[in-house]
Amino acid sequence: MTDNTTRTDLFEPTRMGAIELSNRIVMAPITRSRYAEDGIPNELHATYYAQRASAGLIIAEATNISAQGRGYAATPGIWSEEQTAGWKKVTEAVHAEGGKIVLQLWHVGRFSSVALQPDGQAPVAPSAIKAEGDTYTTEGFVPVSMPRALETGEVPGIIEQYRVAASNAKRAGFDGVEVHSANSYLLDQFLRDSTNQRTDQYGGSIENRARLTLEVTRAVIEIWGSERVGIRLSPVTPDAGNTPPDSNVMALFGYLVPELNSLNLAYLHFVEGATATSRDVPEGVDMDALSGLFAGPYIGNNNYDLDMAIERRAENKIDAVAFGRLFIANPDLVQRLRTGAALTIAPRESYYGGGAKGYTDWPTGNY
Ligand SMILES: Cc1cc2nc3c(=O)[nH]c(=O)nc-3n(C[C@H](O)[C@H](O)[C@H](O)COP(=O)(O)O)c2cc1C
């Protein structure tokens, strides 16, 4: 058995805004698609998150802020009273184990199907440009639908959806919220010139394309206070159809990240490289230069192992590391990393769908 605590401060407590973490190891948001159609968390989900409460911070999976924001069956919501009450069971279970948990606020934008939208309507997007790829419905995988462009006058209603969801998350007992502005969903669609061809104040210039992410973040801050709000960005992740990232990633995020500094957020969270794929970045993009523009705590994610996390922490490139897939089959990941115990690799079949199997039945290690 090793004692990795001598090699790094990743196992020591820290603080992100007003959130106290018992260590610098974060559970990344991972959709597990194990919810009923009503999107209400129950005891199963409470058990799953409580098992992982030794993470310094759990970022709960992407959670639909509204029926319109939903793009996949079997994902949770936070727009109704019943969903809010369900999440309360989750936060209480995590807190009982001494953990901290924030909720990732999600609107998929164009990445949805009419089969998932209220009254079979078209999904909404910055512009009427169809995504490539399939989404998951109760009937199985179907191609995503042609979206319609949001009217300028509808944008305040979108911001209101985030505000209501953030307020529900507060009543549900979370320690904060993460604005999901990554992975080609609504806010990311607004950021990128490949998906945003608007001519109003939400399109065109970088300032205009970044406007919705900033307005949503400010609205959520009004509910939570800035020190309990984080944000996730994935500057170079292509969408499902491999639509390239923005034509000028450095200029776009070189504008957005300093703008976030003025908001005094709890943290900035980047997916470094293509989400759950590769840490490679296109020529001319420097992720460390972009994250280095942020003045507050920075969480790095994507294909990390402990050694890489220790090295990047020692170089002061990250304040904390988020692990996604490793938390699936290692509920006690922090303890295993601390002691050098073997890690279990979750098979892909366990990622999405089903019930307790492959979800809450992973053993804790011997150490
Ligand atoms: C099964 C699965 C579900 C995911 N769900 C989400 C999600 O809900 N929100 C999100 O921002 N990223 C999501 N991601 C991306 C992860 O948060 C993370 O960025 C990615 O897995 C890379 O980290 P890792 O190498 O530690 O797994 C998901 C990834 C996987 C594999």
Side-chain angles (χ1 to χ4, degrees), residues 29-31 62 104 180 183 232 275 301-303 323-325 352:
I30 33 176
T31 294
Q104 193 186 42
H180 192 351
N183 295 347
R232 190 173 219 214
T275 308
N301 165 255
N302 205 25
N303 278 308
F323 292 104
R325 286 162 291 182
Y352 304 109

Side-chain angles (χ1 to χ4, degrees), residues 8 37 60 68 108 125 133 147 230 246 276 281 317 331:
T8 180
E37 270 303 275
Q68 180 199 65
V108 300
D246 198 81
V281 296
K317 299 258 173 56

Side-chain angles (χ1 to χ4, degrees), residues 254-278:
Y255 167 77
L256 179 57
V257 174
E259 284 295 303
L260 294 172
N261 280 338
S262 61
L263 301 182
N264 194 32
L265 295 173
Y267 66 82
L268 170 69
H269 183 187
F270 267 2
V271 182
E272 300 165 345
T275 308
T277 311
S278 153

Side-chain angles (χ1 to χ4, degrees), residues 113-273:
S113 159
V114 291
L116 292 159
Q117 289 291 305
D119 305 322
Q121 290 170 24
V124 298
S127 301
I129 305 169
K130 194 173 154 322
E132 298 290 317
D134 295 334
T135 188
Y136 180 69
T137 71
T138 45
E139 309 300 316
F141 283 95
V142 298
V144 295
S145 303
M146 181 70 189
R148 72 173 177 84
L150 284 162
E151 305 280 340
T152 307
E154 288 178 286
V155 176
I158 297 285
I159 298 169
E160 186 60 19
Q161 290 176 20
Y162 280 93
R163 199 193 308 271
V164 170
S167 167
N168 289 344
K170 197 167 188 191
R171 288 189 299 120
F174 283 96
D175 295 289
V177 287
E178 177 175 282
V179 174
H180 192 351
S181 188
N183 295 347
S184 309
Y185 296 115
L186 182 70
L187 297 180
D188 204 16
Q189 290 159 25
F190 268 85
L191 289 177
R192 294 176 181 213
D193 53 14
S194 60
T195 43
N196 182 344
Q197 296 176 359
R198 300 177 70 89
T199 53
D200 65 1
Q201 67 267 38
Y202 292 98
S205 66
I206 284 174
E207 288 80 355
N208 282 356
R209 283 184 275 130
R211 191 179 308 281
L212 185 60
T213 288
L214 290 166
E215 288 185 354
V216 162
T217 307
R218 282 193 207 100
V220 168
I221 286 173
E222 279 173 29
I223 307 288
W224 274 96
S226 64
E227 293 198 311
R228 290 188 179 272
V229 176
I231 187 166
R232 190 173 219 214
L233 303 170
S234 58
V236 301
T237 296
D239 77 10
N242 278 323
T243 303
D246 198 81
S247 61
N248 194 338
V249 170
M250 292 305 283
L252 173 60
F253 292 92
Y255 167 77
L256 179 57
V257 174
E259 284 295 303
L260 294 172
N261 280 338
S262 61
L263 301 182
N264 194 32
L265 295 173
Y267 66 82
L268 170 69
H269 183 187
F270 267 2
V271 182
E272 300 165 345

